[in-house]
Amino acid sequence: MTQPPHDEQTAADPEELQEQVEQTRQRLGRTVEALAAKADVKARAQEKATEAKDQAAAKAGELREQTAVKAGELREQTAVKAGELREQTAAKAEELRTKATEVVSRVQDKLPDPVRDKAAQAAEQARVKAAEAGRLWEEKAPEPVRARTAQGAQLARDHRGLLLTAAGAAAVVWLMCRGKK
């Protein structure tokens, strides 16, 4: 038989000995269970796989959250930048309108009176001819073509300022190019 450990006292009577044997069996049973759990590679692998899966799911959740936050920040930055660009564009458009108006005014001031009168007459003739062409158009053009033309005319009326600015800018460029020759 084995000798009892030094820290335990030997049993004085059979009941006490029975109790010590029972405690030793329980400790031995727990030790055997622990060793069996360590020896069960399949169960340990499954535990590790479950643990890794849980960690991956947690990390994926974190990344989704971080991505959503970053996307929100980018959306906000984009909206701010778009607003700034709109303001800059509006300011530049106003600046160009002002310059075009000044140039047109200077050009008109430099035109001799007979030329201005001729231009006014030509404009009136153009209005009359345009009205006449419009009447002919109404009489002769097919309905689908007239509908499309009406849409285009409405767009032009809606964006009249932009069209006039573009025309003024084109006139200025033409005058500048013509003046250089």
Side-chain angles (χ1 to χ4, degrees), residues 11-66:
D13 61 49
E15 288 177 10
E16 198 176 308
L17 183 60
Q18 187 69 26
E19 181 65 32
Q20 284 180 356
V21 168
E22 190 58 39
Q23 288 176 358
T24 304
R25 278 188 188 148
Q26 288 176 359
R27 279 197 310 260
L28 185 60
R30 286 192 299 268
T31 304
V32 168
E33 284 177 9
L35 287 173
K38 284 186 177 181
D40 189 0
V41 175
K42 183 178 179 183
R44 287 180 54 204
Q46 285 177 342
E47 286 175 14
K48 288 285 186 185
T50 302
E51 186 179 309
K53 187 175 92 174
D54 292 345
Q55 287 177 348
K59 190 66 171 174
E62 282 179 34
L63 291 175
R64 263 193 302 275
E65 186 177 314
Q66 289 173 354

Side-chain angles (χ1 to χ4, degrees), residues 147-160 163:
R148 282 286 219 186
T149 305
Q151 281 180 332
Q154 185 61 43
L155 277 173
R157 279 191 293 275
D158 291 346
H159 298 92
R160 184 176 300 157
L163 288 174

Side-chain angles (χ1 to χ4, degrees), residues 79-156:
V80 167
K81 195 64 165 173
E84 289 173 2
L85 289 175
R86 259 188 248 112
E87 289 173 7
Q88 289 174 357
T89 303
K92 281 292 182 184
E94 185 59 35
E95 184 180 320
L96 287 174
R97 256 187 240 112
T98 303
K99 284 184 180 181
T101 303
E102 289 173 6
V103 169
V104 168
S105 180
R106 273 191 254 137
V107 169
Q108 285 178 347
D109 289 345
K110 290 182 181 180
L111 285 177
D113 287 338
V115 173
R116 264 192 243 155
D117 293 342
K118 268 289 199 203
Q121 287 174 355
E124 183 59 34
Q125 286 177 352
R127 273 195 228 60
V128 169
K129 290 289 184 184
E132 186 178 321
R135 280 191 299 278
L136 281 173
W137 174 259
E138 287 293 324
E139 293 172 7
K140 309 260 180 187
E143 179 56 35
V145 175
R146 282 194 311 234
R148 282 286 219 186
T149 305
Q151 281 180 332
Q154 185 61 43
L155 277 173

